[in-house]
Amino acid sequence: MPKLRLALACALLFAASPAALAQDTQRLRTDKVEVIVETFARNLQNPWSLAFLPDGRMLVTERPGRLRIVDPEGNLSEPIKGLPPISARGQGGLLDVALDPNFAQNRLVYLSLAEDRGEGRNGTSVARGRLSQDGTSLEGTQVIFRQEPSYAGTYHFGSRLVFDRDGNLFVTLGERNDLRDQAQGLGNHLGKIVRIKPAGGAVPDNPFVTQEDARPEIWSYGHRNIQSAALHPTTGELWTVEHGARGGDEVNIPQKGKNYGWPVISYGVHYSGQKIGQGTRRPGMEQPVYYWDPSIAPSGMAFYTGDKFPAWRGSILVGALAGKLVSRLETSGNRVTGEERMLQNLGERIRDVRQGPDGLIYLLTDSRQGRILRMKPAT
């Protein structure tokens, strides 16, 4: 019995120790503001994306194939039922989540995911379903887009979902790594951004709709693996942040019908150290707005428009996996004018960055013991 009391006392002492508490709340200084980073929710396995519901709760995806609701106190629901089959292998699984612009009326939820296509092949797909009133299931779930061709691989699925101001849906798609050369072809969806109607199908004014040998859904091409995307709050243009190889992570403003160069041009090199393509420039291929070398492995982004961090207003906040940080990019028009790297001492792979309706910043940490972190001003 004394040993049991001693073990219990030690456990309580550890639970209250500064080292343990530091994992839940940290006070950190950045260039312009002091912030508190606190654990909002825990016990998520490789969380990938989140979307805020109108009532203040949030939907959160876990890459192994679960969708949950997190309430304002950080409590997790049971996994939501009604999801399509998901191929959770390697980098694949359940990826992004987005609400229909008219969610308050139609309760439609959109998911991007790695879908099993049979015979070991898979590919990025987009599905939508109606969230039940009790929040326990997606009803009438349908796949509305499938990346073609499928492939027996586990890398570079993309994929972020962003609605434009007309209610059409941008989907970012990886080039599946081994199939990188196909990012330059228009007869496939590899290494592309596509723009589809909310129920699926190409938007009529997409750039290659009338071109016989091109996929009509394509918006732009020559991309590697885009895991960050958001609309500019003023212009409404799509901005993306794209994984490079060793170096060459890129910020782009993908324009209709333009070629962004992968794998012909890049500011990085292959993981082997070998040169990529033909260098950094080629006529007919677009230059990035900004790039990183060495890579930070960017994932998730948000334009900050809130009032809790006025010194950050207009900045882009980008998560980093390999870099284990949040990059704050200062902008002027269509230019990136400066960078601040924040939160390195957390030691966390940041998978997604979102601004909450409360003006605070929410981060997802990519691990088997994943958390939702919340950043707020220290004062």
Side-chain angles (χ1 to χ4, degrees), residues 133-211:
Q133 288 294 333
D134 63 7
T136 62
S137 65
L138 289 185
E139 300 170 345
T141 305
Q142 292 180 307
V143 173
I144 62 168
F145 171 82
R146 287 185 169 94
Q147 181 187 38
E148 296 293 347
S150 59
Y151 176 66
T154 60
Y155 295 104
H156 296 190
F157 295 90
S159 162
R160 292 292 174 183
L161 304 174
V162 178
F163 280 96
D164 68 17
R165 290 180 174 176
D166 294 325
N168 298 309
L169 183 62
F170 286 114
V171 185
T172 71
L173 301 167
E175 33 69 288
R176 305 307 310 277
N177 190 38
D178 295 339
L179 306 182
R180 64 181 67 91
D181 290 341
Q182 295 197 42
Q184 285 296 310
L186 296 175
N188 63 74
H189 298 127
L190 303 172
K192 310 297 191 296
I193 296 173
V194 299
R195 187 174 64 140
I196 59 175
K197 295 182 290 187
V203 180
D205 66 347
N206 277 355
F208 304 110
V209 165
T210 60
Q211 188 168 319

Side-chain angles (χ1 to χ4, degrees), residues 28-36 308-312 328 340 342 375-379:
L28 302 170
R29 186 172 298 279
T30 70
D31 285 353
K32 294 190 174 183
V33 65
E34 194 171 6
V35 302
I36 290 173
K308 295 298 192 296
F309 300 96
W312 293 356
R328 185 179 68 82
E340 177 189 5
M342 307 185 297
M375 294 175 64
K376 61 185 183 182
T379 53

Side-chain angles (χ1 to χ4, degrees), residues 50 52 58 302 304-306 308 353-362:
L50 67 86
F52 285 91
M58 62 181 78
Y304 188 73
T305 61
K308 295 298 192 296
V353 183
R354 302 282 172 156
Q355 177 182 313
D358 53 9
L360 302 179
I361 305 300
Y362 292 78

Side-chain angles (χ1 to χ4, degrees), residues 13-272:
L13 180 62
F14 174 78
S17 71
L21 291 175
Q23 294 180 356
D24 287 330
T25 303
Q26 293 192 44
R27 192 181 184 103
L28 302 170
R29 186 172 298 279
T30 70
D31 285 353
K32 294 190 174 183
V33 65
E34 194 171 6
V35 302
I36 290 173
V37 182
E38 60 188 7
T39 298
F40 177 76
R42 60 174 72 249
N43 298 323
L44 291 156
Q45 186 175 350
N46 299 103
W48 215 92
S49 178
L50 67 86
F52 285 91
L53 293 164
D55 62 7
R57 298 180 299 165
M58 62 181 78
L59 289 170
V60 179
T61 61
E62 294 175 280
R63 186 163 48 80
R66 293 180 292 272
L67 176 66
R68 299 182 189 270
I69 291 178
V70 182
D71 72 17
E73 286 72 48
N75 300 306
L76 308 184
S77 75
E78 291 297 313
I80 292 172
K81 299 175 182 177
L83 274 61
I86 294 164
S87 176
R89 295 187 292 131
Q91 296 175 357
L94 183 58
L95 305 174
D96 208 7
V97 57
L99 302 186
D100 190 279
N102 296 313
F103 176 85
Q105 289 74 44
N106 61 29
R107 300 187 65 80
L108 287 174
V109 174
Y110 291 74
L111 301 169
S112 64
L113 55 115
E115 182 187 31
D116 189 347
R117 307 281 180 83
E119 299 181 351
R121 304 172 74 87
N122 54 24
T124 304
S125 297
V126 178
R128 75 171 187 174
R130 199 177 309 276
L131 185 65
S132 63
Q133 288 294 333
D134 63 7
T136 62
S137 65
L138 289 185
E139 300 170 345
T141 305
Q142 292 180 307
V143 173
I144 62 168
F145 171 82
R146 287 185 169 94
Q147 181 187 38
E148 296 293 347
S150 59
Y151 176 66
T154 60
Y155 295 104
H156 296 190
F157 295 90
S159 162
R160 292 292 174 183
L161 304 174
V162 178
F163 280 96
D164 68 17
R165 290 180 174 176
D166 294 325
N168 298 309
L169 183 62
F170 286 114
V171 185
T172 71
L173 301 167
E175 33 69 288
R176 305 307 310 277
N177 190 38
D178 295 339
L179 306 182
R180 64 181 67 91
D181 290 341
Q182 295 197 42
Q184 285 296 310
L186 296 175
N188 63 74
H189 298 127
L190 303 172
K192 310 297 191 296
I193 296 173
V194 299
R195 187 174 64 140
I196 59 175
K197 295 182 290 187
V203 180
D205 66 347
N206 277 355
F208 304 110
V209 165
T210 60
Q211 188 168 319
E212 274 189 28
D213 59 348
R215 295 279 181 166
E217 301 90 354
I218 294 173
W219 174 261
S220 61
Y221 64 108
H223 300 288
R224 185 172 183 266
N225 190 27
I226 301 174
Q227 295 185 340
S228 311
L231 284 193
H232 191 285
T234 303
T235 67
E237 289 183 302
L238 180 70
W239 287 52
T240 62
V241 186
E242 177 173 337
H243 283 275
R246 283 179 56 187
D249 300 336
E250 295 182 358
V251 179
N252 288 303
I253 310 173
Q255 301 295 302
K256 183 176 182 177
K258 296 292 182 65
N259 180 353
Y260 288 81
W262 179 259
V264 179
I265 60 172
S266 173
Y267 282 89
V269 296
H270 288 299
Y271 296 115
S272 65

